[in-house]
Amino acid sequence: MDRPGPAVDLGGRTVVVTGGTRGVGAGITRAFQRAGAHVVVCARRPPEVPLGEADFVPLDLRDPAAVGAFFDALPRLDVLVNNAGGAPYRPLARADAERHARVIELNLTAPLTASIAAYEHLRRARGSIVMVGSVSGSRPSPGSAAYGAAKAGLEHLARSMAVEWAPEIRVNTLVVGMVRTELAHLHYGGEDGLAAVARTVPLGRLAQPHDVGAAAVFLASDAAAYISGASVLVHGGGERPAFLDAATANKAQRGETR
């Protein structure tokens, strides 16, 4: 369940959230609404659950002409959240290169296309871009290698944009860890699987969509006015190093000797 975060006033600002109809994207959409922003959500399919007063526009972010027309039609834009993305479990040798390339297109090329299309709006508004990245971009990602590579590229793209487009536009990345969404069971299993995975996180739980939403609102707000080119980790402390559980050095102190 989403819950209110810290009070931030974004009244009068317009925010576009790509892929903002479910999961993390829906959490981001609701967080900006709570902050008073007018939110426009674009995705290929409409939301299955109502998203308050957010406007929905059907859009395939892999169609540059359609993306350009979408942004040209907006009367104003203050914040772009490049959230759309994802990938199925797909080992490299079990699919052709074209399928992997489409994952990179959605997770890296599409945010680049949207950011360039939004540039003039954001420059006039002295606005900001929030990229939704992933910890998969900084660690091995077997079964989703193309996704991890795209997210690594997205983080680098954001840092380069932050330099090229300063001082008019701030650009930052949320590096997101494991999130409990309506589809989390497909990745981690049922309740037992989710609980087991949560125990690997130092904070003892998976993120909720509202956790990511609160971080996105912060980066878009005046409180982050001097933050650009940053990568903000939203991962509950990361992962406990495997060697700590494998090592035997301290087991005697824990009464684990045989």
Side-chain angles (χ1 to χ4, degrees):
M1 294 291 291
D2 279 344
R3 65 185 181 192
V8 174
D9 184 9
L10 296 180
R13 302 189 195 185
T14 297
V15 179
V16 165
V17 181
T18 69
T21 58
R22 67 181 184 182
V24 169
I28 293 171
T29 295
R30 294 189 178 103
F32 275 102
Q33 286 183 304
R34 286 194 294 269
H38 169 223
V39 182
V40 181
V41 173
C42 57
R44 285 185 297 171
R45 290 179 290 273
E48 296 178 0
V49 178
L51 291 172
E53 297 181 358
D55 294 332
F56 171 73
V57 177
L59 179 64
D60 184 348
L61 289 155
R62 292 171 295 191
D63 182 342
V67 171
F70 164 75
F71 283 102
D72 287 346
L74 293 175
R76 68 171 292 165
L77 178 63
D78 299 275
V79 180
L80 168 62
V81 181
N82 280 311
N83 165 77
Y89 178 78
R90 183 176 290 158
L92 286 170
R94 296 184 187 175
D96 58 32
E98 184 178 359
R99 288 197 176 188
H100 294 302
R102 287 182 66 80
V103 172
I104 295 172
E105 181 183 21
L106 175 61
N107 290 278
L108 178 57
T109 307
L112 171 62
T113 300
S115 298
I116 292 174
Y119 171 78
E120 287 298 335
H121 276 306
L122 294 172
R123 183 184 62 80
R124 288 193 295 268
R126 297 186 74 86
S128 72
I129 297 172
V130 179
M131 303 289 198
V132 179
S134 170
V135 294
S136 293
S138 57
R139 68 183 185 192
S141 300
S144 57
Y147 172 80
K151 290 301 188 180
L154 185 68
E155 196 171 348
H156 186 277
L157 175 65
R159 290 196 296 267
S160 296
M161 280 184 176
V163 175
E164 283 199 26
W165 293 356
E168 291 85 5
I169 302 171
R170 294 186 300 108
V171 187
N172 293 290
T173 303
L174 293 177
V175 182
V176 180
M178 296 176 289
V179 185
R180 181 162 185 156
T181 69
E182 60 267 39
L183 299 179
H185 65 282
L186 299 177
H187 298 279
Y188 311 122
E191 288 301 319
D192 288 345
L194 288 164
V197 172
R199 288 194 292 270
T200 71
V201 180
L203 288 188
R205 67 176 178 88
L206 303 187
Q208 295 286 344
H210 67 75
D211 293 313
V212 184
V217 168
F218 165 70
L219 286 179
S221 74
D222 293 341
Y226 199 64
I227 299 176
S228 192
S231 296
V232 177
L233 296 169
V234 186
H235 63 1
E239 298 177 342
R240 179 179 171 82
F243 79 85
L244 291 177
D245 295 319
T248 61
N250 297 315
K251 286 186 177 181
Q253 298 177 17
R254 299 197 299 263
E256 297 179 20
T257 55
R258 293 179 181 269

